Each structure stands twice: as structure tokens, then as C-alpha cells.
Amino acid sequence: MSHHCHARGCAVETKPEMLMCLKHWRMVPKNVQRAVWSHYRPGQCDDKDPSEHWHTAADAAIGFVAVKEGKPTSENERVAMSAAQKAGT
């Protein structure tokens, strides 16, 4: 089973542990990158059971990239981006 970058419209294959390809990951604010990694649990890609905290951080990352690329964002992404900006995490 292949895994790809979670940025909207990106088909670049990545390791399952990676949320995004390098190009898109570099667009994510550092504080959000840290949040994604701090909530990552080894094995979550295998058991398909990442935490809510990881999902929130991932939503923020995906949302920030979408904004930078002029693409639409979901409500979950907007909420996660707002929380990340307020918390500075």
C-alpha cells in the first residue's frame, strides 16, 4: 500500500511516517511541525490509531499549506490553525 503527501492535490509518495513531502513540509510553521512530531506515536501508521492531538496538529499543518497554496481549508483545519497560532505550540 502506498502512502502520499497529505497536502491537497499532491501525489508525491512518502514514507508512512511522514505527513507530507519535503516541499510541503517546509511550508508548515516550525511550531506546527514540532506539534506533529511530538504527538506522533511509532506504529500509528500500522494500527491506524493516531491520537486526537496528532490529528489536530496534522489538520493545522495541512491547513497552513492549503492557505499558502490558495486552496480551500476545512473547518477542522481552520480551528486547528487558529489554536496553533494562539498557543504558539
Side-chain angles (χ1 to χ4, degrees), residues 23-44:
K23 172 190 166 190
H24 286 113
W25 186 246
R26 287 181 173 160
M27 294 180 185
V28 177
K30 296 290 184 204
N31 62 321
V32 177
Q33 289 180 357
R34 285 190 298 274
V36 169
W37 279 114
S38 72
H39 295 297
Y40 175 79
R41 177 184 52 80
Q44 72 180 32

Side-chain angles (χ1 to χ4, degrees), residues 26-77:
R26 287 181 173 160
M27 294 180 185
V28 177
K30 296 290 184 204
N31 62 321
V32 177
Q33 289 180 357
R34 285 190 298 274
V36 169
W37 279 114
S38 72
H39 295 297
Y40 175 79
R41 177 184 52 80
Q44 72 180 32
C45 301
D46 298 323
D47 65 19
K48 310 288 190 248
D49 192 26
S51 70
E52 256 327 290
H53 292 293
W54 183 87
H55 273 289
T56 299
D59 283 345
I62 293 165
F64 278 115
V65 170
V67 167
K68 287 185 178 183
E69 294 188 327
K71 296 180 179 175
T73 57
S74 71
E75 178 64 22
N76 285 347
E77 292 162 358

